[in-house]
Amino acid sequence: MALTPTTRTARSGAQRQRLLFLLLSGLLALALARLARDHLKGRIDLSAEGLSRFSPATQRVLAELPDLARIEAFFTRELEHAALALLRARLVEQLESLAALSDGRIDLAFADPSSDSAARLEATERYRLKPIDVDAVVGATRVSQEVFLGLVIKHRGRQEVLPLVLPESLELSVVGALRRLSRPRAPRVGLLASETFAPGLEPLRQALAARFEFTTVTGLDQGLAPPPGLDALVVAAPYELPPRAVWELERYLAQGGALLIAADRCRAVDRDLSMQAYPTGLEPWLECLGATLSGDLCWDLDSAARIQAGADRQALDYPLMLNLRGESLSPEHPLCARLPAVMLQWASPLELAAGSRFEAVLTSSARAFAVPTPDKLGFEAEAVALYSRQLIAGQTARRLPLAAAGVGPFPGPSAGPPPVRDAQGGESDAPAGPLEARPGPGRLVLIGDANWLLPLDSSGRPAPQNLALFENAIDWLSADEVLLALRARKSEPRQIRDFLAEERERRGLAGPSGAVARARGEQSASELAASEAAAQRRLLSMAATAALGLLLPAVLLLCAWRRARAPVWRRR
């Protein structure tokens, strides 16, 4: 049937109307998206890690902020390293999402110490932030760059400094700091340590002074109860504790106290590292609770830490110094939340009775043995290898508990207070003093090592992962449900593909000789070719990712276009 001019005009007008409708719909969607981005707090996070999907605990902390909080981000803006540039972009996005979620309770500010001298002076001198040195390959040139990725969080006249933040731990670090700063006071932690061990705890106190209020506890052996107002009591390296001190600890735990016991069963007595076993004084009480502190040491073949030993400073995997990772850290308990590792030295295994209130939170690997305390520590590689072979031939390796945590109720003392002793060894009766009762059941963390509280290298500070373990333990002991919920949230770091490393591996440039040449700044023809090939592959990968991202919108647009052009009867 032939179309009349009137029919053609009508159809042409209908097509123009449909095209105009599609155009206006697209512009309206774009405008709504911009309005939502600028004015709405809700954000959709489709990343695998869910880094911008903040937990209900975070929302609670932000809603309960009594005053305006300020977050100052000292980030290097221009980054040569591509992976770090992506990491910085993710940090900025997370911080902006957190500020948007706070409904105006967070004032967010950025500064670049790498390009602004005033910001650098403020970061380094006022807040003691230190840059990290990063090597990057730009084209065929290897460059070194100082990078700042630190935060300063301020609230109510107090502040916390975070020297380095990462996307997978930013929520815990920032919201945890806001939670602590919004409290009337910092958690109060009591320290009870032997006279020889107490001075070694000073670096721990200095490193965590901004987080906790430390107080020294004394006089338990003289009938004094732990001071009131403690959120947790730490007993470090107890050495032959008198019965009255043990009785006071037993009473404190039974009345809802929070106790962290880090106990050694041996110590070096001279510079030749001669070892002496000793009792802590806590063994009978702990055994009644269902946690026996062994007098042996853990010899772990798979968790052996690498040290420099001997006159020639050769590398040695030493099985009495442990670097616990992976399955050795309980994935379910808050004590081990977000911990990459824990460092222990000369740790004593625990024996946990069936049906007790304890669960193991740190264990050795499956290739570990309980060995007697040696008369003297030896660091000869041949002797260590020989002893390991003898253990494998004569014993069955097994996973040994090294730390345990338990929640009460725990039984109180079965008898009255023991007498106290004076300096001359005489005994006298002393009635039990008043003890502050805490709400809820008691909590106890027992670790068969005290050296993890001390500096383990020349840095003069305890290992960062051990400091994190201490913070986790105090948060768990003080039963802060908000911080526990934050620590329990798991987030795995995103693996970024390293095309240059793959090219070096494919071309045989990843060995020691290639590393030495790159360290010297030497650029061979093969290295230049690998850099160019890696750059091409990276570009192709980015193009493919962008194409896949545009594929779905293109398909939808094509379907809408075909539907707009179809006759009315066919669309029905």
Side-chain angles (χ1 to χ4, degrees):
M1 183 179 65
L3 296 178
T4 64
T6 303
T7 305
R8 291 194 185 97
T9 302
R11 289 193 175 185
S12 177
Q15 289 179 355
R16 284 196 299 270
Q17 291 178 0
R18 285 193 290 267
L19 290 176
L20 181 61
F21 173 76
L22 289 174
L23 179 60
L24 292 177
S25 298
L27 292 175
L28 179 61
L30 180 61
L32 290 175
R34 292 183 64 87
L35 286 173
R37 183 196 66 181
D38 295 336
H39 299 286
L40 297 183
K41 294 184 295 181
R43 297 192 179 196
I44 299 176
D45 180 16
L46 301 179
S47 64
E49 305 91 334
L51 297 178
S52 295
R53 289 196 302 269
F54 296 110
S55 65
T58 292
Q59 300 176 29
R60 174 182 168 184
V61 170
L62 297 179
E64 294 178 353
L65 282 177
D67 293 304
L68 180 69
R70 181 175 175 84
I71 299 179
E72 298 179 5
F74 292 90
F75 289 173
T76 299
R77 181 181 297 274
E78 300 296 334
L79 292 168
E80 303 290 348
H81 198 290
L84 279 181
L86 177 60
L87 183 144
R88 181 194 181 279
R90 294 165 66 194
L91 288 172
V92 170
E93 181 181 0
Q94 286 179 271
L95 290 172
E96 290 177 345
S97 298
L98 189 68
L101 185 64
S102 72
D103 196 18
R105 295 182 178 90
I106 291 179
D107 177 25
L108 180 61
F110 291 91
D112 182 6
S114 298
S115 61
D116 187 339
S117 58
R120 185 181 185 90
L121 184 64
E122 184 180 21
T124 57
E125 297 297 329
R126 183 178 180 183
Y127 301 124
R128 302 298 180 185
L129 290 173
K130 296 182 179 179
I132 56 175
D133 294 325
V134 177
D135 292 333
V137 176
V138 180
T141 306
R142 190 175 190 85
V143 297
S144 180
Q145 184 182 20
E146 287 187 344
V147 176
F148 286 86
L149 289 174
L151 295 178
V152 178
I153 303 173
K154 301 178 180 180
H155 185 58
R156 284 191 160 186
R158 299 161 56 197
Q159 67 183 31
E160 278 199 29
V161 179
L162 307 178
L164 177 65
V165 289
L166 299 174
E168 57 268 16
S169 60
L170 182 134
E171 180 180 11
L172 172 62
S173 301
V174 174
V175 181
L178 290 172
R179 170 72 170 177
R180 292 186 292 270
L181 293 175
S182 62
R183 288 175 169 177
R185 63 170 178 83
R188 186 170 293 130
V189 178
L191 292 179
L192 172 64
S194 60
E195 293 183 2
T196 58
F197 197 83
L201 294 176
E202 191 59 30
L204 174 77
R205 301 176 70 144
Q206 294 178 0
L208 298 177
R211 272 227 53 191
F212 305 113
E213 178 186 335
F214 290 102
T215 181
T216 301
V217 176
T218 59
L220 267 62
D221 57 334
Q222 298 300 311
L224 297 179
L230 290 182
D231 293 287
L233 174 58
V234 178
V235 181
Y239 177 74
E240 297 182 347
L241 281 181
R244 182 56 183 264
V246 178
W247 188 89
E248 294 291 349
L249 292 176
E250 187 176 359
R251 184 167 70 117
Y252 170 75
L253 182 64
Q255 296 196 23
L259 199 58
L260 167 60
I261 299 176
D264 283 327
R265 291 301 307 273
C266 64
R267 61 179 179 177
V269 294
D270 53 35
R271 293 184 178 181
D272 294 333
L273 295 182
S274 298
M275 303 299 291
Q276 179 188 45
Y278 65 86
T280 65
L282 297 171
E283 288 83 3
W285 172 48
L286 293 176
E287 187 173 355
C288 291
L289 297 181
T292 302
L293 183 62
S294 170
D296 296 331
L297 297 179
C298 176
W299 186 278
D300 194 335
L301 299 179
D302 286 347
S303 300
R306 176 155 295 185
I307 63 174
Q308 304 294 325
D312 52 358
R313 309 297 295 169
Q314 290 188 353
L316 171 66
D317 293 334
Y318 196 60
L320 289 178
M321 297 183 179
L322 310 182
N323 186 12
L324 303 179
R325 297 176 177 272
E327 295 182 356
S328 294
L329 281 64
S330 172
E332 304 299 331
H333 202 280
L335 245 70
C336 301
R338 300 176 182 265
L339 286 182
V342 172
M343 304 285 292
L344 301 181
Q345 288 187 348
W346 310 311
S348 296
L350 309 178
E351 297 177 10
L352 305 179
S356 70
R357 296 188 176 275
F358 292 98
E359 62 173 307
V361 293
L362 295 178
T363 64
S364 68
S365 74
R367 299 182 66 218
F369 305 88
V371 301
T373 301
D375 295 331
K376 184 177 180 179
L377 290 178
F379 295 95
E380 296 80 14
E382 294 183 0
V384 170
L386 176 61
Y387 191 53
S388 297
R389 289 194 295 267
Q390 293 174 348
L391 290 174
I392 294 173
Q395 298 186 26
T396 301
R398 61 189 178 95
R399 195 176 293 275
L400 301 172
L402 301 175
V407 180
F410 293 102
S414 57
V420 299
R421 296 178 181 177
D422 55 30
Q424 289 73 33
E427 294 185 349
S428 61
D429 293 332
L435 177 64
E436 179 186 44
R438 289 165 48 97
R443 295 187 175 216
L444 173 60
V445 175
L446 175 62
I447 302 178
D449 176 43
N451 295 293
W452 66 277
L453 297 171
L454 305 176
L456 300 181
D457 54 30
S458 58
S459 67
R461 290 168 53 94
Q465 58 267 39
N466 289 357
L467 290 176
L469 173 62
F470 186 89
E471 293 182 87
N472 286 0
I474 300 303
D475 287 341
W476 183 79
L477 288 170
S478 58
D480 191 317
E481 299 298 334
V482 174
L483 289 179
L484 292 179
L486 288 174
R487 294 188 185 280
R489 188 184 182 203
K490 297 178 176 61
S491 179
E492 298 295 332
R494 182 183 299 177
Q495 299 297 321
I496 300 177
R497 189 174 181 181
D498 192 335
F499 292 99
L500 182 58
E502 293 178 3
E503 283 296 323
R504 286 172 177 165
E505 183 73 26
R506 189 171 67 86
R507 297 166 185 263
L509 301 175
S513 59
V516 171
R518 289 191 294 273
R520 293 175 178 173
E522 301 173 1
Q523 294 288 334
S524 64
S526 299
E527 180 72 23
L528 293 175
S531 299
E532 293 176 358
Q536 293 176 0
R537 291 179 57 197
R538 188 181 300 110
L539 182 61
L540 289 174
S541 176
M542 294 172 61
T545 303
L548 288 175
L550 294 174
L551 180 60
L552 181 59
V555 171
L556 294 177
L557 184 60
L558 179 61
C559 292
W561 174 261
R562 291 178 61 86
R563 180 175 177 81
R565 296 193 61 186
V568 176
W569 64 270
R570 183 171 295 179
R571 279 186 275 145
R572 292 178 180 176

